[in-house]
Amino acid sequence: MARIGCCQLDPVLGDLPGNEARISAAISDAVSAGADVVVLPELATSGYMFADAAEARVAALAEDSPQFARWCALLGDSIAVLGFCELGTDGRLYNSAAVLQSGGVTSVYRKTHLWDREKLIFTSGEQLPPVLETRHGALAVMVCYDLEFAELTRQVAVAGAEMILAPVNWPQFPRPAGEHPGEVITAMSTARLNRLAVAACDRAGVERGQAWTGGTVIVDPDGWIAAEAGPGVGTAVADIDLARTHDKKLTEHVDLLADRRLDLYG
Amino acid sequence: MARIGCCQLDPVLGDLPGNEARISAAISDAVSAGADVVVLPELATSGYMFADAAEARVAALAEDSPQFARWCALLGDSIAVLGFCELGTDGRLYNSAAVLQSGGVTSVYRKTHLWDREKLIFTSGEQLPPVLETRHGALAVMVCYDLEFAELTRQVAVAGAEMILAPVNWPQFPRPAGEHPGEVITAMSTARLNRLAVAACDRAGVERGQAWTGGTVIVDPDGWIAAEAGPGVGTAVADIDLARTHDKKLTEHVDLLADRRLDLYG
């Protein structure tokens, strides 16, 4: 059983010190609440709505920026996944997610599916999402639009992921009354088709005219919502039995992965 | 614009004449209501809960069984997709979907992903679902559990399908209050990730102790529910703009198919 905390924040564009403080407070609160795994939004360090690459570059962090050590120091035995605007050692900008543990940054994943104007600012990652064996489970890390590619989500399920952790910034789209956001529907479908958990940490607020969905959600391995953050800044917390994800059999004769027709898909 | 009608029926196990009459009445009613495309449930000719292959064999139809000509005669310019228990010329049983037009059966698809005890009764198909260019759109045909494999649904989207038509028999699973059935959530996600329509025709009733979901749904290319049948026998009807499915761009820089990272998936 792992306790997951998703901290739906409201970063301020370009305000690195303010965002650092918001992230630190959120990590501390989640760890105090017993979260084994803490997820924070995409680009939580910087905000999202950059006018151009030059503006993003000013707000970028390197993997060895001192903020990371300060956040790691808050973690104890917990793990955090944080979306950040990365300045690579190659001088390029990436939309990345860092995996933080008390000893430091243990992994950086660079978003491979860039959304919309991100393509004008960031370089896309060239490595598949990692599946990390940790003390709190086998964790796959993705960023936002990555979740919308079943090719990718299936691949981490086959690789043994028990849970997908995804910093996201979901721009608000219209939807019919009573329906979950489309991205949440896809997260639910992904969970049930692969019997794994999905924790997506969205952001709140409005930034340069862009309203965000505030759709933070933790989905259990059956595809049902275990916790939501609701509107505004807030944290979703859920205890998820990750061991259940090892058994992909729904009935004696149904196995979600073995039933694939790999001979046919070509 | 195509008018889709999904006829949620309540077939009786092994009652071929009774089921033929139910199907005929449903087709006639849907055509009268202006449906261009009529979808009927999985194994609508036979019922589902066979004890064994011998029982299924008694209730099977061949592709040239006379019932098909009688159904086709009801269609006028409309197209129907009907799930049936097929006795192949090879002597094997298949869980199949026939595409019916006024001139006769134009295609038979044999379910490639057999669910649960179907594996003890049917032989799985060895051909991918067809994408048929028809007067009412580019139509892909799947059966039930096939819909749960994104490998397959993506493949027909790439092949140009505007709509997936799926006879289904969804066994009732528990779900949280207020949530759609899991299979509907997956249909919605499939539609929005590929910008195509999905029409799934479920069945109603209880058969040998198995309750069915009655989850018949027509999902538009944005992933929202255009029509449902609701509980019991009934028809869902919706007008869907299939031309919209040709444009996979959500914004200037977002293209649901072009954004795939085929270089990475391996």
Side-chain angles (χ1 to χ4, degrees):
Chain A
M1 192 73 70
R3 176 163 295 181
I4 318 304
C6 291
C7 308
Q8 182 168 287
L9 301 182
D10 181 7
V12 173
L13 191 69
D15 178 13
L16 269 71
N19 294 334
E20 180 183 351
R22 285 177 190 91
I23 292 164
S24 297
I27 290 174
S28 294
D29 289 351
V31 170
S32 296
D36 301 305
V37 178
V38 183
V39 191
L40 296 132
E42 180 180 11
L43 295 176
T45 55
S46 62
Y48 184 96
M49 293 294 291
F50 299 118
D52 53 31
E55 190 178 35
R57 189 169 292 272
V58 173
L61 299 180
E63 193 180 324
D64 60 358
S65 291
Q67 287 91 337
F68 289 107
R70 295 196 287 266
W71 289 317
C72 289
L74 305 171
L75 282 169
D77 282 343
S78 303
I79 295 171
V81 175
L82 168 68
F84 75 108
C85 177
E86 181 190 5
L87 177 63
T89 54
D90 58 7
R92 292 175 174 169
L93 296 171
Y94 298 93
N95 182 340
S96 298
V99 179
L100 312 180
Q101 302 195 46
S102 58
V105 175
T106 56
S107 179
V108 171
Y109 165 70
R110 294 167 168 173
K111 186 175 186 178
T112 51
H113 299 80
L114 295 175
W115 168 264
D116 201 36
R117 294 189 69 260
E118 293 170 29
K119 293 172 185 173
L120 309 180
I121 295 171
F122 298 106
T123 299
S124 61
E126 295 299 329
Q127 301 293 327
L128 289 170
V131 179
L132 306 164
E133 297 290 343
T134 76
R135 67 166 71 90
H136 299 302
L139 309 176
V141 177
M142 298 188 185
V143 179
C144 204
Y145 190 34
D146 289 331
L147 284 176
E148 313 254 313
F149 293 83
E151 294 89 345
L152 208 62
T153 51
R154 180 72 101 188
Q155 199 145 343
V156 300
V158 171
E162 298 172 333
M163 181 161 49
I164 297 172
L165 307 175
V168 308
N169 277 192
W170 286 333
Q172 198 167 69
F173 277 88
R175 62 183 192 265
E179 296 290 4
H180 300 299
E183 298 89 341
V184 170
I185 291 170
T186 290
M188 295 170 76
S189 180
T190 299
R192 68 179 289 274
L193 296 186
N194 295 289
R195 197 178 261 177
L196 49 67
V198 179
C201 187
D202 197 8
R203 58 163 294 172
V206 178
E207 194 183 42
R208 285 187 172 165
Q210 177 64 61
W212 304 100
T213 300
T216 294
V217 69
I218 301 170
V219 182
D220 75 21
D222 294 319
W224 303 119
I225 293 176
E228 296 177 283
V233 171
T235 299
V237 178
D239 294 322
I240 303 288
D241 179 4
L242 295 178
R244 288 194 55 236
T245 66
H246 297 186
D247 180 8
K248 305 300 187 188
K249 290 174 83 76
L250 300 188
T251 75
E252 184 185 352
H253 300 288
V254 173
D255 184 306
L256 294 172
L257 295 185
D259 288 343
R260 289 175 298 153
R261 290 295 305 273
L262 298 176
D263 57 321
L264 287 184
Y265 304 141
Chain B
M1 192 72 70
R3 177 164 294 183
I4 318 304
C6 290
C7 307
Q8 182 168 286
L9 301 182
D10 181 7
V12 173
L13 191 70
D15 179 14
L16 270 72
N19 293 336
E20 180 184 352
R22 285 176 191 92
I23 293 163
S24 297
I27 291 175
S28 294
D29 289 351
V31 170
S32 297
D36 301 306
V37 179
V38 183
V39 190
L40 296 132
E42 180 180 11
L43 295 176
T45 56
S46 62
Y48 184 96
M49 293 294 292
F50 300 117
D52 54 29
E55 190 178 32
R57 188 171 293 274
V58 173
L61 299 180
E63 192 179 324
D64 60 358
S65 292
Q67 288 91 337
F68 289 107
R70 295 197 286 267
W71 289 317
C72 289
L74 304 171
L75 281 170
D77 283 342
S78 303
I79 296 171
V81 175
L82 168 68
F84 75 109
C85 178
E86 181 190 3
L87 179 62
T89 55
D90 57 7
R92 292 176 173 168
L93 296 170
Y94 298 93
N95 183 341
S96 298
V99 178
L100 313 180
Q101 302 194 47
S102 57
V105 175
T106 55
S107 179
V108 171
Y109 165 70
R110 294 166 168 175
K111 187 176 186 177
T112 49
H113 300 80
L114 295 175
W115 168 264
D116 202 36
R117 294 189 70 261
E118 293 170 29
K119 294 172 183 172
L120 309 179
I121 295 172
F122 299 106
T123 299
S124 61
E126 294 299 329
Q127 301 292 327
L128 289 171
V131 179
L132 306 165
E133 297 289 342
T134 76
R135 66 166 72 90
H136 298 303
L139 309 176
V141 178
M142 298 187 186
V143 179
C144 205
Y145 190 35
D146 288 333
L147 284 176
E148 314 254 314
F149 293 83
E151 295 88 347
L152 209 62
T153 51
R154 179 72 102 188
Q155 199 144 344
V156 299
V158 171
E162 297 172 333
M163 182 161 48
I164 297 173
L165 308 174
V168 308
N169 276 192
W170 286 333
Q172 197 167 70
F173 277 89
R175 63 181 191 267
E179 296 289 4
H180 300 299
E183 298 90 341
V184 170
I185 291 169
T186 291
M188 295 170 77
S189 181
T190 299
R192 68 179 290 275
L193 296 187
N194 295 288
R195 196 177 264 176
L196 49 66
V198 179
C201 188
D202 197 8
R203 58 163 295 172
V206 178
E207 195 183 41
R208 288 187 171 163
Q210 177 63 61
W212 304 101
T213 300
T216 294
V217 70
I218 302 170
V219 182
D220 74 21
D222 294 319
W224 303 118
I225 293 176
E228 295 176 284
V233 171
T235 298
V237 178
D239 295 322
I240 303 288
D241 179 6
L242 295 178
R244 287 194 57 237
T245 67
H246 298 185
D247 180 9
K248 304 299 187 189
K249 289 174 84 77
L250 300 188
T251 74
E252 182 184 354
H253 300 289
V254 173
D255 184 307
L256 294 172
L257 295 185
D259 287 342
R260 289 175 297 154
R261 292 294 305 273
L262 299 176
D263 57 321
L264 287 184
Y265 303 141

